[in-house]
C-alpha cells in the first residue's frame, strides 16, 4: 500500500505542538453548543448543511480577534497560554527555593533567557567559537567535518512528521522500519531556511516576493554578525539552497513511507552519493561505528553530496555561518531577534507582533529540558482521577473500534486478525511517561542563554546516539506531558495523551458525556485511527513495516481513501489555492474514523438509545473543538506544508456520517450534503 502522511515542521513549544500522527494544532473546545452571536440575525448564521463550522462557531468567530503575536488562534490556544502561565509561575516559585538537579536546570535556563541585559552584554561571545571554526575551514575535508559537526537529532518523520532542519541533514534515531527490536539511524534532507522546496521552485508572485525577502533576511543576519559584503554572501547562500531544493523530495514524497525505506551501507553512500568523504562525515557526526542507515530522502542525499564537491568552498562557509546565526538568533541580542521575527513572523506568517519574552523563554526551556519541565507540571497540576477517567474512555473507544473492524464486510478474516492484534497490543500512555528522561551532565548557567541552548542541543544529540545498540523501549514518549496535543507512534504501536490536554475545555470531569466524547473522545478516536490510516495501516502489530493486507482488502482501502482525497481536493482555501487531499489524507482518515468510533462509544454509554438531539450535542462539541481563525499568510503556509487540514475543513468530515444528517436534518441541495453512496466509509 502506498503511503501519504501528515507533514508538519516541528518547532517544539509548550503548547500547540505539532506531532505528526497527532491531533495537530489543537484549537478550541466549547462546553456547550455555540449559539449565533447576539449582534447578528439568525439568517446571518450559516445553516449546518451549508457550513457546519460556521454554524456552530458563529458567535466565537464574531467575537474573537487573533492576538497580535499569533498567526492563528483558537480557544485551545488560550488554554495553552493559561497552561504556560501556570508553568512560569511554578518556575518562579521553584527558583526562589534553591532547587537542585533537573529542576535547577529548568529554572536556570529560564532565568538566563529572561536576562536581556546579560544577553545584550554577551553579544556573540558564546556563539563566536562556532563561527571561528567555520571561518577556519580551508578545504573540503574541513568542510565535511564542519557539516557533520552541525548535525543534530532534530527531525522525526513518523511521529512528529517533522522533516525540517537548517542543518544539511537531519538525524532520527528510532527502531528500524522492518526491525522493531533495534534502534537505527535515519538520515533526512535538510539545509533550507525556507519551509520547503516549493518556496524555492514554484513560479508565482508570492513565492518570488518571499524569495526576495529571504535573501534580504540572510544579508541582514550576516551583517548583524559582523560579516563583510553581506549581500554578496546572501546571494551565494540562496543559490546554494536553491540547488539543494532541486534535489529535495517533495512533501508528497516525504509522505510516502515506501519511498523512505532505503537501507544504505557505508559502501552505498560512496557509490550512490559521491562527492564527499562519508566515512569522515559519519565519524565527525558520532556515527562512525554504524554501518547501516535508513536513507529517507535518497535524491537529496545524493544531490547534497554532489553539491559539497561542486559548489565553491566560500558558498558553503557562508551557508554554515548564516544558518548558525539564524538558528540561534532567538538567544542573541535584540537586533537578531527582531530581524528573525521580521522575516519569519511578519513576512512569512503575517504575524504583527513578537510573542512576549516569557512565552519564548518557556518554549526554549521546553526544547532544552522538556521532561524536567513536564515533571514539574505533572507533580503540581495533574490529578489522578483525570488519568483514570481518560483511561476508561480510551478503553471504550478502542472497544468501539474493535467492533467496527469486526463488522466490516469488505475485510478478509486474516486482515481482521492482524487489525485486532494491533488494537490488543496498543500501548496507551496517559498523562506522562512511565520513565522520565534525566539531564545529568548537562551544564546550564544562569547567565549564558546562548551557551545553554548550544549545550542543550549537543546533549540531546548525545542522548539520542546513546540509544544505538540498546534494546528498543516500546513505551518511550515522543512529546512532553505539558503540551496540549496527542500522538500516535506507528512503529511503537503506541499512543500518548499528555497531561496538558486532559483539562477543560478539552476534557472536563464535570461535563456531559456528549461533550467529552465529542471533544476528547474525538481526539482519542483520532489517535487510535492513525494505526489504520494510509500510513499506520502499513505497520503491523509489532510496528514492522509489512503488508498484512490481502490484495483485495488493500485495493478496497485505496479506493475508499481516494474518495477522501478527492473530497478534500475540492475544498478551496483561496481562489488560487485548494487543499491537498493527498498531503492531508492520513489526518483526514483519522478524523473520519476517530469521530465515528467516538460516536459509537458515546452511544454505548447511553445504552444504545441515543436521540438526534443527543447526537447534536456530540457533533456540536466536535465542531466547537475546531473554532479557529488564521491570518491569510499563516493559512497559506498551512495549506502548502501541513499534513493537517485547516480547522474549518476538518469539521466537514461530519458529512460522511449518517447520524450527522439526522441530527441536523441536512437535506439535498445544501452545500455539504452528500448522497449516501457518496459518503466515504473506511472503518
Amino acid at each position: 500500500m502506498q503511503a501519504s502522511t501528515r507533514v508538519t515542521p516541528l518547532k517544539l513549544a509548550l503548547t500547540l505542538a505539532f506531532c505528526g500522527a497527532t491531533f495537530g494544532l489543537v484549537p478550541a473546545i466549547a462546553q456547550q453548543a455555540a449559539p449565533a452571536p447576539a449582534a447578528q440575525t439568525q439568517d446571518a448564521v450559516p445553516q449546518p448543511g451549508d457550513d457546519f463550522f460556521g454554524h456552530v462557531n458563529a458567535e466565537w468567530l464574531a467575537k474573537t480577534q487573533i492576538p497580535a503575536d499569533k498567526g492563528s488562534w483558537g480557544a485551545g490556544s488560550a488554554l495553552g497560554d493559561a497552561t504556560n502561565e501556570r508553568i512560569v509561575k511554578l518556575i518562579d516559585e521553584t527558583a526562589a527555593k534553591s532547587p537542585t538537579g533537573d529542576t535547577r536546570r529548568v529554572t536556570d535556563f529560564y532565568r538566563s533567557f529572561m536576562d536581556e541585559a546579560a544577553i545584550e552584554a554577551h553579544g556573540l561571545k558564546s556563539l563566536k567559537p562556532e563561527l571561528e571554526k567555520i571561518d577556519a575551514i580551508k578545504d573540503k575535508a574541513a568542510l565535511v567535518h564542519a557539516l557533520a559537526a552541525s548535525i543534530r537529532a532534530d527531525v522525526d518523520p513518523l511521529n512528529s512528521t517533522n522533516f525540517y532542519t537548517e542543518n544539511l541533514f537531519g538525524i532520527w534515531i528510532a527502531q528500524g522500519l522492518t526491525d522493531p527490536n533495534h534502534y537505527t539511524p535515519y538520515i533526512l534532507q535538510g539545509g533550507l531556511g525556507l519551509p520547503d522546496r516549493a518556496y524555492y521552485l514554484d513560479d508565482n508572485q508570492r513565492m518570488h516576493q518571499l524569495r526576495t525577502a529571504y535573501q534580504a533576511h540572510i544579508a541582514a543576519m550576516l551583517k548583524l554578525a559582523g560579516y563583510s559584503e553581506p549581500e554578496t554572501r546572501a546571494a551565494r547562500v540562496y543559490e546554494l539552497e536553491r540547488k539543494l531544493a532541486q534535489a529535495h523530495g517533495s512533501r508528497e514524497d516525504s509522505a510516502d513511507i515506501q519511498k523512505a525505506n532505503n537501507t544504505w551501507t557505508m559502501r552505498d553512500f560512496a557509490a550512490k552519493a559521491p562527492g564527499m568523504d562519508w566515512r569522515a562525515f559519519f565519524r565527525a557526526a558520532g556515527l562512525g561505528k554504524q554501518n547501516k542507515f535508513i536513507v529517507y530522502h535518497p535524491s537529496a542525499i545524493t544531490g547534497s553530496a554532489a553539491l559539497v564537491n561542486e559548489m565553491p568552498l566560500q558558498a558553503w562557509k557562508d551557508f554554515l555561518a548564516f544558518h548558525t546565526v539564524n538558528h540561534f538568533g532567538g538567544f542573541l541580542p535584540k537586533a537578531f531577534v527582531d530581524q528573525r521575527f521580521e522575516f519569519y513572523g511578519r513576512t512569512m506568517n503575517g504575524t504583527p507582533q513578537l510573542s512576549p519574552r516569557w512565552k519564548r523563554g518557556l518554549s526554549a526551556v521546553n526544547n532544552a529540558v522538556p521532561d524536567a519541565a513536564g515533571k514539574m507540571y505533572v507533580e503540581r497540576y495533574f490529578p489522578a482521577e483525570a488519568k483514570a477517567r481518560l483511561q476508561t474512555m480510551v478503553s471504550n473507544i478502542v472497544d468501539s473500534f474493535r467492533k467496527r473492524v469486526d463488522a466490516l464486510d469488505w475485510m478478509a478474516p486474516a486482515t481482521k486478525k492482524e487489525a485486532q492484534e494491533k488494537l490488543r497490543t496498543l500501548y496507551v500512555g496517559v498523562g506522562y511517561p512511565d520513565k522520565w528522561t534525566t539531564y545529568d551532565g548537562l551544564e546550564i548557567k544562569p547567565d549564558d542563554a546562548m551557551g545553554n541552548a548550544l549545550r542543550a542541543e549537543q546533549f540531546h544529540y548525545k542522548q539520542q546516539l546513546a540509544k544505538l545498540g540498546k534494546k528498543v523501549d516500546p513505551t518511550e514518549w515522543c512529546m512532553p506531558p505539558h503540551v496540549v496535543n496527542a500522538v500516535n507512534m506507528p512503529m511503537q504501536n503506541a499512543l500518548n495523551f499528555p497531561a496538558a490536554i486532559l483539562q477543560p475545555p478539552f476534557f472536563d470531569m464535570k461535563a456531559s458525556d456528549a461533550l467529552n466524547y465529542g471533544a476528547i473522545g474525538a481526539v482519542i478516536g483520532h489517535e487510535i485511527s492513525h494505526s489504520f490510516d494510509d500510513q499506520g495501516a502499513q505497520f503491523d502489530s509489532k510496528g514492522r513495516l509489512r503488508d498484512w493486507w490481502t490484495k483485495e482488502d488493500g485495493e478496497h482501502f485505496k479506493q475508499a481513501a481516494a474518495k477522501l482525497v478527492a473530497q478534500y481536493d475540492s475544498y478551496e482555501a483561496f481562489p488560487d489555492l485548494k487543499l491537498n487531499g493527498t498531503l492531508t489524507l492520513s489526518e483526514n482518515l483519522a478524523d473520519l474514523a476517530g469521530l465515528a468510533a467516538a460516536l459509537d462509544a458515546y452511544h454505548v454509554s447511553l445504552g444504545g438509545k441515543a436521540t438526534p438531539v443527543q447526537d447534536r450535542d456530540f457533533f456540536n462539541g466536535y465542531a466547537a473543538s475546531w473554532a479557529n481563525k488564521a491570518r491569510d499568510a499563516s493559512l497559506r503556509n498551512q495549506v502548502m506544508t501541513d499534513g493537517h487540514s485547516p480547522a474549518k475543513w476538518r469539521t466537514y468530515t461530519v458529512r460522511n456520517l449518517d447520524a450527522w444528517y439526522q441530527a441536523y436534518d441536512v437535506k439535498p441541495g445544501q452545500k455539504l450534503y452528500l448522497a449516501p453512496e457518496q459518503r466515504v466509509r473506511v472503518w
Side-chain angles (χ1 to χ4, degrees):
M1 299 175 61
Q2 292 298 305
S4 176
T5 189
R6 39 260 176 241
V7 183
T8 310
L10 175 67
K11 295 294 183 185
L12 188 58
L14 283 178
T15 63
L16 306 181
F18 295 82
C19 268
T22 67
F23 208 45
L25 177 63
V26 187
I29 288 186
Q31 291 308 312
Q32 59 184 10
Q40 291 181 305
T41 66
Q42 191 63 32
D43 290 340
V45 178
Q47 291 299 306
D50 289 323
D51 176 8
F52 187 53
F53 173 85
H55 174 80
V56 173
N57 297 309
E59 183 176 7
W60 186 92
L61 292 167
K63 292 181 177 179
T64 301
Q65 298 295 320
I66 303 173
D69 66 331
K70 301 292 183 182
S72 64
W73 186 254
S77 310
L79 169 63
D81 273 9
T83 300
N84 286 349
E85 288 172 0
R86 295 163 83 184
I87 297 171
V88 166
K89 184 178 179 181
L90 178 59
I91 289 174
D92 287 339
E93 291 175 356
T94 305
K97 299 176 182 178
S98 301
T100 59
D102 283 347
T103 305
R104 176 66 176 267
R105 291 184 176 93
V106 171
T107 58
D108 281 357
F109 194 101
Y110 182 74
R111 286 167 57 198
S112 74
F113 189 92
M114 296 302 292
D115 190 347
E116 295 182 77
I119 290 173
E120 292 294 330
H122 268 77
L124 291 174
K125 179 180 178 181
S126 295
L127 194 60
K128 188 163 287 188
E130 303 302 313
L131 299 178
E132 289 174 346
K133 291 176 187 176
I134 296 169
D135 291 341
I137 295 172
K138 300 300 183 183
D139 53 31
K140 289 296 175 74
L143 171 64
V144 168
H145 187 281
L147 290 169
S150 71
I151 296 300
R152 298 289 179 264
D154 55 358
V155 292
D156 179 345
L158 280 179
N159 302 329
S160 304
T161 51
N162 170 29
F163 298 96
Y164 183 82
T165 174
E166 286 190 71
N167 301 318
L168 183 60
F169 304 122
I171 297 294
W172 184 46
I173 308 297
Q175 66 192 65
L177 289 173
T178 58
D179 180 4
N181 298 316
H182 298 94
Y183 285 109
T184 302
Y186 292 67
I187 184 167
L188 280 71
Q189 65 192 19
L192 305 183
L194 292 170
D196 180 70
R197 71 190 298 270
Y199 286 76
Y200 296 83
L201 306 179
D202 283 3
D203 186 14
N204 60 61
Q205 183 180 3
R206 172 171 165 75
M207 290 306 185
H208 285 296
Q209 291 172 342
L210 287 176
R211 291 196 276 267
T212 299
Y214 177 53
Q215 289 187 66
H217 168 66
I218 297 172
M221 292 295 279
L222 289 173
K223 183 176 181 179
L224 286 171
Y227 285 89
S228 62
E229 301 180 317
E231 289 80 10
T232 301
R233 294 176 189 269
R236 284 196 291 257
V237 172
Y238 177 78
E239 180 60 15
L240 175 53
E241 289 187 27
R242 188 186 68 82
K243 290 180 179 293
L244 287 171
Q246 289 176 326
H248 271 214
S250 66
R251 286 296 190 188
E252 290 79 4
D253 287 337
S254 295
D256 190 338
I257 191 63
Q258 298 296 338
K259 291 182 179 179
N261 189 18
N262 310 289
T263 300
W264 286 16
T265 64
M266 199 64 71
R267 287 185 178 181
D268 290 321
F269 280 96
K272 297 179 180 181
M276 60 185 284
D277 185 341
W278 284 102
R279 288 191 180 278
F281 177 87
F282 285 123
R283 279 198 303 270
L287 291 161
K289 295 181 179 179
Q290 301 300 311
N291 186 48
K292 292 184 178 180
F293 295 78
I294 293 180
V295 177
Y296 214 93
H297 298 106
S299 67
I301 305 306
T302 299
S304 299
L307 289 170
V308 169
N309 183 55
E310 295 168 8
M311 294 295 286
L313 186 65
Q314 189 58 53
W316 281 107
K317 292 175 67 173
D318 292 336
F319 168 90
L320 283 168
F322 163 67
H323 283 292
T324 299
V325 175
N326 194 53
H327 178 67
F328 290 108
F331 296 88
L332 296 175
K334 184 176 184 297
F336 292 87
V337 174
D338 289 346
Q339 175 56 43
R340 286 189 84 249
F341 174 72
E342 184 64 33
F343 178 70
Y344 289 106
R346 285 198 178 94
T347 303
M348 286 290 297
N349 287 299
T351 307
Q353 184 175 305
L354 182 66
S355 292
R357 190 163 191 89
W358 71 266
K359 292 184 181 180
R360 289 179 279 133
L362 207 48
S363 179
V365 166
N366 198 53
N367 276 305
V369 284
D371 266 26
K375 189 175 183 181
M376 292 170 63
Y377 173 82
V378 165
E379 289 174 349
R380 174 71 66 92
Y381 292 116
F382 186 56
E385 56 269 24
K387 179 169 183 171
R389 184 167 175 186
L390 193 87
Q391 286 173 323
T392 299
M393 290 185 71
V394 170
S395 178
N396 291 344
I397 296 171
V398 169
D399 189 56
S400 293
F401 210 97
R402 185 179 294 114
K403 292 175 181 176
R404 294 186 75 84
V405 171
D406 276 339
L408 294 174
D409 57 6
W410 56 268
M411 183 173 278
T415 312
K416 283 186 179 181
K417 182 178 179 181
E418 184 62 25
Q420 296 290 13
E421 184 64 11
K422 288 193 75 169
L423 290 169
R424 187 188 71 80
T425 58
L426 184 69
Y427 166 77
V428 181
V430 175
Y432 49 89
D434 299 339
K435 291 177 285 187
W436 294 99
T437 297
T438 61
Y439 302 90
D440 292 341
L442 172 59
E443 183 183 19
I444 300 296
K445 301 179 180 179
D447 59 352
D448 184 14
M450 175 61 244
N452 290 339
L454 182 62
R455 288 187 291 273
E457 280 197 359
Q458 294 168 338
F459 185 86
H460 173 72
Y461 185 52
K462 291 176 181 177
Q463 279 183 318
Q464 294 302 302
L465 294 184
K467 295 194 299 188
L468 293 169
K470 295 182 179 179
K471 186 178 179 180
V472 169
D473 179 5
T475 67
E476 182 181 4
W477 278 49
C478 84
M479 58 171 57
H482 53 310
V483 299
V484 180
N485 213 333
V487 64
N488 177 299
M489 297 174 286
M491 289 199 299
Q492 293 173 229
N493 193 29
L495 311 180
N496 296 162
F497 295 101
I501 200 172
L502 307 179
Q503 57 179 324
F506 293 100
F507 172 65
D508 190 345
M509 293 289 289
K510 300 176 182 179
S512 70
D513 279 347
L515 291 169
N516 272 331
Y517 272 100
I520 196 67
V523 178
I524 295 167
H526 175 100
E527 298 308 336
I528 294 170
S529 302
H530 268 310
S531 294
F532 303 96
D533 65 18
D534 62 311
Q535 180 96 301
Q538 297 182 83
F539 294 87
D540 65 16
S541 58
K542 298 184 183 300
R544 184 185 292 110
L545 184 63
R546 178 175 71 85
D547 188 358
W548 48 275
W549 296 65
T550 66
K551 182 179 179 181
E552 294 76 15
D553 290 346
E555 286 301 318
H556 180 97
F557 183 91
K558 287 180 183 178
Q559 291 171 12
K563 292 179 181 178
L564 200 60
V565 169
Q567 191 175 110
Y568 276 79
D569 277 345
S570 70
Y571 295 139
E572 187 178 277
F574 297 95
D576 63 335
L577 184 63
K578 288 186 176 182
L579 271 60
N580 185 335
T582 301
L583 178 64
T584 57
L585 177 59
S586 295
E587 297 298 333
N588 297 335
L589 283 167
D591 281 343
L592 174 57
L595 187 63
L599 181 62
D600 285 354
Y602 171 54
H603 286 172
V604 169
S605 76
L606 297 174
K609 299 179 180 179
T611 67
V613 172
Q614 289 170 313
D615 281 352
R616 194 180 306 158
D617 289 340
F618 171 90
F619 286 117
N620 281 350
Y622 178 69
S625 76
W626 290 109
N628 184 263
K629 300 181 83 167
R631 302 184 194 280
D632 284 357
S634 180
L635 181 57
R636 282 183 178 274
N637 287 341
Q638 181 180 2
V639 171
M640 290 181 60
T641 64
D642 196 340
H644 302 84
S645 298
K648 174 180 177 178
W649 293 280
R650 291 188 78 164
T651 66
Y652 286 0
T653 197
V654 296
R655 64 197 300 226
N656 296 299
L657 274 62
D658 295 340
W660 176 72
Y661 290 82
Q662 298 164 7
Y664 294 93
D665 194 27
V666 178
K667 300 294 186 183
Q670 294 184 301
K671 294 177 182 178
L672 295 182
Y673 179 85
L674 290 172
E677 65 274 11
Q678 294 177 317
R679 298 168 196 171
V680 179
R681 308 176 196 276
V682 184
W683 294 101

